[in-house]
Amino acid sequence: MRRIISVLLENEPGALSRVVGLFSQRNYNIETLTVAPTEDETLSRLTVTTTGPDRVIEQITKQLNKLVEVVKLVDLTEGPHIERELMLIKLKATGSQRAEIKRTVDIFRGQIVDVTSSVYTVQLAGPSDKLDGFVQAIGASGVLEVVRSGISGIARGEKVLSL
Amino acid sequence: MELLSGADMLIRSLQDQGIEYIYGYPGGAALHIYDALFRQDEVKHILVRHEQAAVHMADGYARATGMPGTVLVTSGPGATNTITGIATAFMDSIPMVVLCGQVASTLIGEDAFQETDMMGVSRPVVKHNLSVRHPSEIPEIIRKAYYIASTGRPGPVVVDIPKDMTAPNERFEYAYPKKVKLRSYNPAIRGHAGQIKKAVDMMLAARRPVIYAGGGVILGKASGQLTELVRKLGYPITNTLMGIGCYPASDKQHLGWLGMHGTYEANMAMHHSDLILAVGARFDDRVTNATEKFCPGARIIHIDIDPASISKTIDADVPIVGPVDAVLKEMLALVKESKEKPDAEAIASWWKQIDEWRAFHGMRYETSPDVIKPQEVVEMLHRLTNGDAFVTSDVGQHQMFAAQYYKFDKPNRWINSGGLGTMGFGLPAAMGIKLTHPDDEVLCITGEGSIQMNIQELSTCNQYKLPVKIINLNNQALGMVKQWQDMNYESRHSHSYMESLPDFIKLAEAYGHVGIRIDKKEDLEPKLKEALAMKDRLVFVDIQVDRFEHVYPMQVARGCMKDMWLSKTERV
Ligand SMILES: Cc1ncc(C[n+]2csc(CCOP(=O)(O)OP(=O)(O)O)c2C)c(N)n1
Ligand SMILES: [Mg+2]
């Protein structure tokens, strides 16, 4: 099963490489990884999505916790949570395609954020499967370039991951 | 407050940390530090002949004393030469701090002369590494390094020190921090009381219990608590290669060590047990054999300071995260006050079964009228040193024979690279021990393959007068490799011969030591005695042993605990 692990990490040089190194060193799988400083600039928040049997997931969280620079972590998939991914996608948009694309973007609640005579650049945020759905709806032949941020997640309700 | 340069702060920090010896090798990036070292005499530096040996020396010292060892090297090749030593310490959770010079911070990233990304290179084999970004941080970084290295599950910590951080002309206020606090690092200080209670109830109800103890008992200085608990319960105990000495081997409750080359009775008892109390052990593949066939009837209680060691390869029914000494102490108190007692009848019949296994196959080997057997050399050494020596070893058949036939009654006496299996470990580790234990007998039981991996250290031994005794069980082969080739590759001995061996006697003499060759069985005892009698000389004893011997018992690959070869022809 896919898991989303959210980590509070000391915002120090080298800390990220320890996390990434751990995954390759122990043969764990990384599907997406996002990281940025938090409102407290001494901390970074890192979200990693991974898959594996329960035993491996348990090891991943334990091994991450063992890293000296990891302050706290939570497996968001253990409870109700919100996950979002941002996609910027460049689409071929000429002639009648333009209206068609505009409609699809609206259906998916995206925004066209840049326009040329032959290209639309669309921004879309949401759960990853919604982003997949959009790409599918457009069809491979219309897609020029895709950038996805990887998943960011947060627990629902009162629960917070903080110091 | 005092004003000191970065280099002086570094050395002062070592003094304030109580470091007596450091082992190292100088070079450009470390020269400011070496100059600071020169201008004081509290911290003594031992100059090795290869940086790997400096790390093994620090490691030997740490294993024998439980205190962190310290290494100082230069950047680039000096730093990379330490990697095997650091990995060795990492695999066996040995506390140490490795101080590495680095090119000036202004040059980092420019492929400067002797620049290596030591933070990156060492990252997978350290508990942590730290890099100095401003000279004023040095005292705090050093304090942190020792704190991290020696608390929780211990391990090596590397400190990367760019040359400009130690420049003599810039001075800063010096104060050595009394305490360190790291919000992201809080090792457990006691086990969960409820889990401990549950574990004790299970232990008292067990009918076929075994205690399985590992290196964590020695690292956690918990041999006393373990021994008391095991005696109180009257249960059988086995330990891993790393746990040797955590419980007296001469005691009748001790089954010897378990796993790939463990005793018949230890492996049988494990396989047939209904309850395993694992203490500071990590269910390593050299212990469990095929994990899916591991001890089918056993429930498992697992005590470890490192949560990641629990349920990593074998699921624990009752996990207890905490320092082994504290947890065992609580267990003992509960056992003492409990109204429940072990089931005397069940335990007696369990012992009867174990004694039958013991009688069927205790540790034994075939002797020969003329060929010297490696096992008998070890047994004789045990007798001649009253079982009280520090014994270091390398890797191979000689290591297994040493561990099997030298019966250790005390912890911290059996010193070997169990996790990484590093040939070349034995001699420098012995040196590190001898330096701080001058009145104790320190033996390095090695093989002609392994000893040559750090043989240059004979020169260091001459410089610092380190009279260790090197016992070279010379079978003229990379014996353990050859054994595997005999068993799995129809005796195709691909590159397992040691052709053109040196004359070890002349070699020892060239380095200023004594060499003794033993090739006749009748010479074994008198010549070993002669060697041991030379208290203040390093003696290299080159013993020609049986070239065809195999180590037994040996678990059958991918089998369960009890599937073993007991000799070249008997398989159970
Ligand atoms: C640095 C290193 N290289 C290779 C090995 C693989 N290896 C394990 S045992 C062994 C043979 C050791 O030979 P020797 O020291 O003569 O010991 P013996 O088995 O003959 O007693 C080898 C090559 C190792 N453990 N360490
Ligand atoms: Mg050999």
Side-chain angles (χ1 to χ4, degrees):
Chain A
M1 184 185 133
R2 193 188 59 140
R3 304 293 190 114
I4 305 173
I5 300 169
S6 224
V7 183
L8 277 183
L9 191 66
E10 294 288 357
N11 184 7
E12 285 190 11
L16 178 62
S17 71
R18 275 183 231 281
V19 173
V20 176
L22 176 73
F23 275 76
S24 65
Q25 182 186 338
R26 294 195 180 262
N27 216 0
Y28 308 145
N29 176 28
I30 298 187
E31 284 195 345
T32 75
L33 174 75
T34 66
V35 59
T38 64
E39 79 289 359
D40 170 354
E41 68 199 18
T42 67
L43 288 173
S44 298
R45 171 101 176 214
L46 180 145
T47 313
V48 56
T49 56
T50 181
T51 52
D54 288 352
R55 181 197 293 282
V56 173
I57 302 293
E58 186 180 327
Q59 269 296 310
I60 291 176
T61 55
K62 285 173 166 180
Q63 294 291 350
L64 279 170
N65 253 321
K66 240 169 97 170
L67 295 177
V68 170
E69 282 147 338
V70 167
V71 186
K72 262 190 184 167
L73 65 82
V74 62
D75 179 348
L76 290 174
T77 25
E78 275 176 359
H81 63 279
I82 300 159
E83 52 176 281
R84 290 290 179 270
E85 198 179 352
L86 176 74
M87 175 165 73
L88 293 173
I89 180 167
K90 224 169 238 192
L91 305 172
K92 233 185 283 170
T94 47
S96 63
Q97 281 174 326
R98 291 176 86 89
E100 178 69 28
I101 291 173
K102 175 84 177 59
R103 234 185 348 262
T104 314
V105 170
D106 288 342
I107 293 170
F108 281 84
R109 297 203 195 149
Q111 288 161 284
I112 297 171
V113 291
D114 191 43
V115 178
T116 72
S117 57
S118 58
V119 168
Y120 277 164
T121 302
V122 174
Q123 167 189 314
L124 193 65
S128 306
D129 52 356
K130 172 175 154 184
L131 273 49
D132 296 340
F134 178 78
V135 176
Q136 221 166 24
I138 293 294
S141 62
V143 176
L144 297 170
E145 187 180 353
V146 179
V147 199
R148 293 174 68 149
S149 64
I151 291 169
S152 290
I154 198 162
R156 280 190 187 276
E158 320 272 280
K159 237 169 110 184
V160 290
L161 178 64
S162 67
L163 282 188
Chain B
M1 243 191 232
E2 247 177 310
L3 292 180
L4 294 178
S5 75
D8 285 322
M9 280 202 282
L10 177 64
I11 301 302
R12 265 297 286 283
S13 301
L14 296 179
Q15 292 173 355
D16 288 340
Q17 184 65 36
I19 304 303
E20 189 183 1
Y21 286 106
I22 65 177
Y23 320 89
Y25 210 89
L31 285 184
H32 297 325
I33 304 171
Y34 270 87
D35 191 58
L37 204 51
F38 188 85
R39 289 181 276 101
Q40 56 88 56
D41 48 19
E42 247 179 78
V43 176
K44 297 178 211 54
H45 177 273
I46 305 297
L47 177 70
V48 292
R49 301 299 180 264
H50 186 295
E51 289 88 350
Q52 182 189 344
V55 187
H56 293 328
M57 270 190 94
D59 184 323
Y61 163 80
R63 290 180 201 239
T65 61
M67 306 282 284
T70 308
V71 175
L72 172 61
V73 296
T74 189
S75 67
T80 54
N81 269 352
T82 64
I83 290 294
T84 301
I86 295 172
T88 302
F90 180 67
M91 287 296 275
D92 291 341
S93 308
I94 305 303
M96 81 170 49
V97 172
V98 181
L99 308 165
C100 296
Q102 179 56 282
V103 300
S105 58
T106 48
L107 296 177
I108 289 180
E110 297 183 359
D111 303 315
F113 177 63
Q114 295 195 328
E115 178 184 356
T116 301
D117 173 14
M118 186 58 177
M119 296 293 284
V121 170
S122 66
R123 197 192 57 231
V125 293
V126 292
K127 180 170 176 188
H128 194 54
N129 55 21
L130 297 154
S131 123
V132 178
R133 269 162 283 148
H134 192 274
S136 62
E137 296 176 349
I138 287 176
E140 200 193 328
I141 286 184
I142 297 300
R143 185 74 184 81
K144 264 191 199 166
Y146 283 98
Y147 172 66
I148 293 171
S150 51
T151 50
R153 180 178 182 170
V157 174
V158 162
V159 183
D160 197 48
I161 313 168
K163 188 168 184 180
D164 48 335
M165 299 298 130
T166 55
N169 49 349
E170 281 182 273
R171 287 158 192 276
F172 302 88
E173 285 187 352
Y174 173 83
Y176 197 60
K178 286 197 185 61
K179 277 215 277 211
V180 253
K181 220 183 127 34
L182 284 157
R183 62 179 173 186
S184 56
Y185 174 76
N186 301 295
I189 47 171
R190 55 176 304 187
H192 185 281
Q195 292 288 88
I196 295 176
K197 173 80 178 73
K198 196 164 150 196
V200 168
D201 291 345
M202 275 165 71
M203 279 155 61
L204 292 172
R207 303 180 63 81
R208 297 183 310 281
V210 183
I211 287 128
Y212 149 52
V217 175
I218 293 172
L219 293 165
K221 303 183 178 74
S223 298
Q225 286 89 338
L226 179 74
T227 305
E228 207 185 331
L229 179 68
V230 172
R231 291 220 164 113
K232 176 84 196 155
L233 290 166
Y235 293 172
I237 173 167
T238 174
N239 52 250
T240 65
L241 182 70
M242 294 310 297
I244 285 178
C246 71
Y247 186 92
S250 56
D251 188 89
K252 61 179 189 321
Q253 279 172 255
H254 190 254
L255 307 184
W257 48 280
L258 81 171
M260 183 175 280
H261 293 299
T263 64
Y264 176 72
E265 64 264 35
N267 287 341
M268 290 296 277
M270 284 290 285
H271 184 82
H272 293 96
S273 66
D274 69 345
L275 181 78
I276 295 171
L277 171 64
V279 191
R282 60 187 178 90
F283 296 86
D284 171 82
D285 55 291
R286 284 295 192 265
V287 161
T288 58
N289 211 353
T291 49
E292 70 280 6
K293 300 179 193 164
F294 180 75
C295 302
R299 283 189 302 161
I300 294 170
I301 303 165
H302 192 173
I303 311 170
D304 206 288
I305 186 75
D306 178 7
S309 279
I310 297 178
S311 300
K312 179 171 68 179
T313 59
I314 300 287
D315 281 328
D317 297 286
V318 182
I320 303 174
V321 178
V324 281
D325 58 343
V327 174
L328 289 172
K329 213 169 136 192
E330 283 187 55
M331 282 189 159
L332 186 65
L334 287 178
V335 167
K336 280 183 180 162
E337 72 197 28
S338 172
K339 280 195 259 329
E340 302 297 320
K341 297 288 165 231
D343 181 337
E345 211 174 300
I347 300 301
S349 76
W350 180 223
W351 270 116
K352 187 165 161 277
Q353 171 67 76
I354 290 172
D355 287 336
E356 277 167 26
W357 288 328
R358 257 186 190 154
F360 173 71
H361 188 91
M363 283 312 291
R364 61 173 155 80
Y365 57 92
E366 304 277 318
T367 52
S368 137
D370 36 40
V371 185
I372 301 174
K373 293 285 181 172
Q375 300 94 324
E376 68 189 307
V377 177
V378 177
E379 281 186 319
M380 192 174 287
L381 284 166
H382 179 261
R383 179 157 55 80
L384 297 178
T385 56
N386 301 315
D388 206 29
F390 286 91
V391 179
T392 74
S393 194
D394 274 294
V395 179
Q397 293 181 317
H398 62 271
Q399 173 195 25
M400 295 299 121
F401 292 136
Q404 287 178 329
Y405 290 94
Y406 197 102
K407 303 284 179 205
F408 293 86
D409 281 342
K410 292 183 194 164
N412 307 92
R413 299 256 155 171
W414 164 244
I415 311 283
N416 87 133
S417 164
L420 196 67
T422 308
M423 291 170 68
F425 173 81
L427 173 59
M431 291 157 57
I433 300 167
K434 190 68 188 173
L435 188 67
T436 45
H437 300 73
D439 300 328
D440 287 299
E441 194 66 75
V442 181
L443 308 177
C444 167
I445 299 183
T446 184
E448 78 302 317
S450 295
I451 191 67
Q452 293 191 79
M453 287 219 178
N454 267 318
I455 192 103
Q456 76 287 346
E457 295 310 315
L458 287 174
S459 171
T460 312
C461 291
N462 189 17
Q463 181 174 353
Y464 298 97
K465 301 293 167 235
L466 298 171
V468 299
K469 301 292 177 283
I470 297 172
I471 309 296
N472 190 32
L473 298 180
N474 190 339
N475 54 7
Q476 298 169 48
L478 300 176
M480 189 56 96
V481 172
K482 193 170 146 212
Q483 172 169 348
W484 282 52
Q485 290 168 338
D486 284 337
M487 296 176 78
N488 304 323
Y489 300 89
E490 297 165 324
S491 294
R492 289 187 296 278
H493 296 152
S494 178
H495 300 276
S496 53
Y497 288 112
M498 289 299 282
E499 277 153 8
S500 53
L501 284 173
D503 179 335
F504 287 110
I505 308 310
K506 280 196 191 141
L507 190 66
E509 286 168 1
Y511 278 112
H513 306 300
V514 179
I516 295 180
R517 183 183 156 93
I518 304 179
D519 48 17
K520 287 192 214 54
K521 201 166 158 149
E522 62 272 22
D523 289 346
L524 185 61
E525 179 154 358
K527 289 202 170 173
L528 279 181
K529 281 185 174 159
E530 182 188 332
L532 293 170
M534 284 185 256
K535 291 285 171 216
D536 52 1
R537 296 301 299 274
L538 183 151
V539 186
F540 192 116
V541 191
D542 184 32
I543 309 176
Q544 308 301 307
V545 297
D546 190 346
R547 292 166 49 208
F548 305 102
E549 195 63 6
H550 281 182
V551 180
Y552 294 109
M554 180 164 179
Q555 281 177 334
V556 176
R558 290 172 296 282
C560 61
M561 285 296 286
K562 70 178 169 77
D563 297 333
M564 287 169 270
W565 286 99
L566 296 180
S567 71
K568 285 184 185 170
T569 51
E570 301 158 82
R571 184 179 158 158
V572 289

